[in-house]
Structure formats: C-alpha cells, structure tokens
Amino acid sequence: MELDEFRTSLDAWLDEQEGALAPDHDGLGTLDEQMAQLTKVKRLTFDAGWMRWGWPVRVGGLGGTTLPRAYLGEALTSRDLVEPGIYSMAEVLAPTMIDFAAPELAATMVPRLLRGDETWCQGFSEPGTGSNLASLSCRAVRSHGGWRVTGQKVWTSLAQYSERCVLLTRTGSVESAHRGITALFVDMDSPGITVRPIESMHGVEEFCEVFFDDVAVPFDRTLGEEGQGWSVAMDLLPYERSTSLWHRAAYLHRRLQQLLDAAPPDTLDAAEVGQTTQLLYAFRARSRSTQHRLARGEDLGPETSIDKVLLATIEQAVFDLVGDGLASDLAIGDGTTSERWRTEFLYSRAATIYGGSAEIQRNIIARRLLDLGSDR
C-alpha cells in the first residue's frame, strides 16, 4: 500500500474507532494505565491490519516500506492515543530481532510484540558503565544445555512489564571489550531474575534495575553468533534514533501547539517561540530524511546520533517554553492538566541522557563522522 493511501485510510479508520481507541483515564495517566492503553491500541491496530504494514511477511507483517510504520506512530501520537516512548519500543527492538534471531524464533515472537500480547525490554546499560557498552560486565558462561547469566542491568525501561529481554552479556574476557559480547533473548520469568523498579524524579517507575543470578538461557536464544553482540547493538541503536524519534517529534509538535493555545498573553517571548519552532521543524526535516533512507533500505549508522542530539535539544527547548508560559501551572497547579505539564517538564530534563547520553552522541559524531580522533 502506498503511503498516501495508507495515510488516508488510516485516518478514516481512526476517526471511526475514536471511541474504542480512547484512553480510559484522564490526562497522562499512571504508567499502569499507559501500558493498558498501549496494549489496547496495539491489539486493535494489529487486528485491523494497520500495525502489520511495513513489517516483513515472514514475521506476520504485510510487507511494504517502513513509511507506514512511521506514519502510524505519528498518527497515534498526534491524537494522544499512546505515549510515544513506550509505543516506540517495538521500533527499537523488533528490527534487530528480525535481523539476528533464528527465523523460526523471530516468526513466533515478533507478532506477539506488534500485537501488544507481549512487552520486551532492552538490557544494555549497567551500573558504572552507562552508555559505554564496550565495558559491560554482565557475564554469560557456557554450560550443559545453555548459557548461565549472572550480573546486573540498570535503566532498563519497562522491565517490570516485560515478558522478554534483549540482553547484552560478556562472554569473552574483560579485555576483549566490544569483541567479547554476546546478545541473548531472555524470558523474563526465568528463575533467578529479579526486577526492581526505580522511581525517577518525574514520579514514574519507568526504569528498573534487573538482577540475573545464574539464569539459564538456551543456546537457541542467542541472537547472532557468540561474540557478535557488538554487531547486534550497533544494528539496534540506529533504530533507537530513527522511527522512534519521528514519533517523539510528533508528540513535541502537539505539545508545543497546546502550549501556545494555553499560555496567557505576554508570557512567552516571541523570539524564543520562533527559535523553538525553527528547531522543531529542523529536527522533523532531519528525521523525515532518516525515515526515507530507512524506507529505501539504506543502512542506518552513526549519523543517527545527529538526530538524537537534535531531539534532545528541541525537547528541552519546548519544555523551557512551558516553564515560561505556564510557570504557575508547572510549579503549583492542581489537576490532571497541570500534573501532566509538570511530569513532562521533569522528564524533558533527561532528554540528554536517555537513549544514549548527549556526550556519547557527540563523541560518535566527532570520531565516526568527522574523523576527529579519540577524546582520550
């Protein structure tokens, strides 16, 4: 299906299904309510076929380019039917699962994720290593019948809701750095896994610590070959900075417009509004280009770090404006509307950290795009 036909047909269907798709909660809702809403929307859109466009037939999709996936997330976000961060986890994890998992495993698991029957998490970051994946220490050792995994992950989004985890483990020596990493697809109900949610400053337990105590993982859950985990990570991370960021841009566009509608007269500086709008459109232009490169089948790489740096800049700029235009609501306002502005303002402070810190992104740009050498 061509994008124009998809867009027109989807918009008509979303209008028809407005009541069925509407959240059951007011405002932003709790994380439990957001997850329930996400599950409902994914199930309805998958069963109607919309969620399947842009995914390979061999994993339950209907084929075609990735552009319908980008527009579906944009449309759902623009209508405030899903929270973009948790919706886009499928865009981050499923493509790499398709690339590196055994075909039978991908064909079984990916439809469950797309339909909302399952939630997956990404076990990459560790205490003391952050975004520096080459120094991770969560270890997997070979045993009779499979891997045994011991270690800890942190900042693992939605682990408390997840049935599976795409997990990076150390299978080589510590000195092997990026060469000694292996990726596994782990059942989160396996004995020995403990999930401990972390409440962040915006009051939401989105992240978790995850502890692995001699957890058994079958060999057929290895993604790619042993020692190929760095390639898995390098394949996945550009997806984290492509379609999911397009969805977040749609969310920021909606929230900027809502701010302009709600801010009292003379509370916003026209020059700052203009600059923020220019930044937002510049980011959307950049992200649009990335979507079309992805749709043409081009490999995404370190250049997507530019997208992430731009996204972090514009997210904080939008909510800096919220601090100017809705200062009272932000600081002391009651009710779901004020609470939502406040929560989202606090979350925006993390935009330069989540999905790979701004420092890491700039190092990638400097070393891999500009050939400026190591920073050490």
Side-chain angles (χ1 to χ4, degrees), residues 266-286:
D266 301 325
T267 57
L268 292 173
D269 182 271
E272 292 182 359
V273 171
Q275 183 178 27
T276 301
T277 303
Q278 179 269 327
L279 285 172
L280 177 56
Y281 275 83
F283 170 65
R284 294 198 73 175
R286 168 77 189 185

Side-chain angles (χ1 to χ4, degrees), residues 147-205:
W147 300 101
R148 309 294 297 195
V149 178
T150 300
Q152 180 186 352
K153 296 292 176 177
V154 71
W155 311 123
T156 307
S157 299
L158 309 179
Q160 71 272 48
Y161 299 98
S162 296
E163 282 80 14
R164 324 284 173 188
C165 179
V166 177
L167 181 70
L168 292 183
T169 63
R170 171 71 59 194
T171 51
S173 65
V174 174
E175 294 74 20
S176 64
H178 64 276
R179 297 181 302 278
I181 297 172
T182 299
L184 306 177
F185 189 62
V186 179
D187 293 339
M188 289 296 286
D189 61 354
S190 301
I193 295 180
T194 301
V195 176
R196 187 180 299 167
I198 302 169
E199 182 175 340
S200 54
M201 71 175 181
H202 67 306
V204 179
E205 294 181 339

Side-chain angles (χ1 to χ4, degrees), residues 76-189:
L76 296 175
T77 299
S78 297
R79 292 170 182 251
D80 207 13
L81 295 175
V82 294
E83 197 286 324
I86 61 176
Y87 171 83
S88 296
M89 287 297 287
E91 290 292 341
V92 175
L93 298 175
T96 297
M97 182 72 177
I98 295 168
D99 288 343
F100 285 90
E104 299 80 10
L105 182 63
T108 299
M109 295 297 179
V110 171
R112 298 180 186 179
L113 178 65
L114 298 182
R115 191 175 184 272
D117 297 333
E118 290 190 356
T119 299
W120 298 357
C121 60
Q122 176 184 336
F124 280 23
S125 295
E126 296 185 2
T129 63
S131 301
N132 184 10
L133 299 180
S135 61
L136 66 84
S137 62
C138 180
R139 174 159 290 280
V141 297
R142 283 183 168 273
S143 68
H144 180 70
W147 300 101
R148 309 294 297 195
V149 178
T150 300
Q152 180 186 352
K153 296 292 176 177
V154 71
W155 311 123
T156 307
S157 299
L158 309 179
Q160 71 272 48
Y161 299 98
S162 296
E163 282 80 14
R164 324 284 173 188
C165 179
V166 177
L167 181 70
L168 292 183
T169 63
R170 171 71 59 194
T171 51
S173 65
V174 174
E175 294 74 20
S176 64
H178 64 276
R179 297 181 302 278
I181 297 172
T182 299
L184 306 177
F185 189 62
V186 179
D187 293 339
M188 289 296 286
D189 61 354

Side-chain angles (χ1 to χ4, degrees), residues 1 8 37 85 130 177 223 338:
M1 183 184 295
T8 301
Q37 171 67 10
L223 301 179
S338 294

Side-chain angles (χ1 to χ4, degrees), residues 246 249 252-254 256-257 260 273-289 310 314 318:
W246 175 258
L252 292 173
H253 190 274
R254 172 171 55 81
L256 177 59
Q257 183 60 57
L260 298 178
V273 171
Q275 183 178 27
T276 301
T277 303
Q278 179 269 327
L279 285 172
L280 177 56
Y281 275 83
F283 170 65
R284 294 198 73 175
R286 168 77 189 185
S287 186
R288 181 182 182 277
S289 173
L310 290 174
I314 184 58
V318 167

Side-chain angles (χ1 to χ4, degrees), residues 346-360:
L346 291 172
Y347 188 80
S348 72
R349 304 303 95 178
T352 49
I353 302 173
Y354 69 67
S357 70
E359 289 79 6
I360 290 291

